[in-house]
Amino acid sequence: MLNPLRLLRRHERLKREALDEAQVLRRRHGEAAAAAAKAKLERTDLTTWHRLVVERAIQILEKELV
């Protein structure tokens, strides 16, 4: 059985880390931050967790552009 509090904390941690990643990418790359994040996803050395964080960061960055 899955622990709902653990899932909630994991989801909140994912959102928090994705916001941090989006801010770092925005500072480093400016308007091209979403493209830089997509290029980062192509790397083979990313862990599963970091891949989730970058995917969520891409969603945040693309939402800001709309």
Side-chain angles (χ1 to χ4, degrees), residues 1 5 7 11 14-16 19-22 24 26 29 31 34-36 38 45-48 50 53 60 63 66:
M1 182 165 168
L5 290 177
L7 290 175
H11 177 71
L14 177 62
K15 286 191 332 186
R16 190 172 53 246
L19 279 172
D20 291 343
E21 182 75 19
V24 168
R26 207 176 308 114
H29 302 285
E31 294 293 321
K38 289 177 184 175
D45 62 336
L46 292 180
T47 62
T48 304
H50 196 70
V53 170
I60 292 169
K63 188 184 289 186
V66 173

Side-chain angles (χ1 to χ4, degrees), residues 15-59:
K15 286 191 332 186
R16 190 172 53 246
E17 288 187 21
L19 279 172
D20 291 343
E21 182 75 19
Q23 287 175 348
V24 168
L25 287 167
R26 207 176 308 114
R27 258 187 261 125
R28 286 188 184 159
H29 302 285
E31 294 293 321
K38 289 177 184 175
K40 190 172 188 176
L41 264 183
E42 295 176 7
R43 291 178 28 193
T44 58
D45 62 336
L46 292 180
T47 62
T48 304
W49 178 256
H50 196 70
R51 186 170 299 279
L52 286 173
V53 170
V54 173
E55 287 172 354
R56 182 66 63 97
I58 290 171
Q59 290 175 356

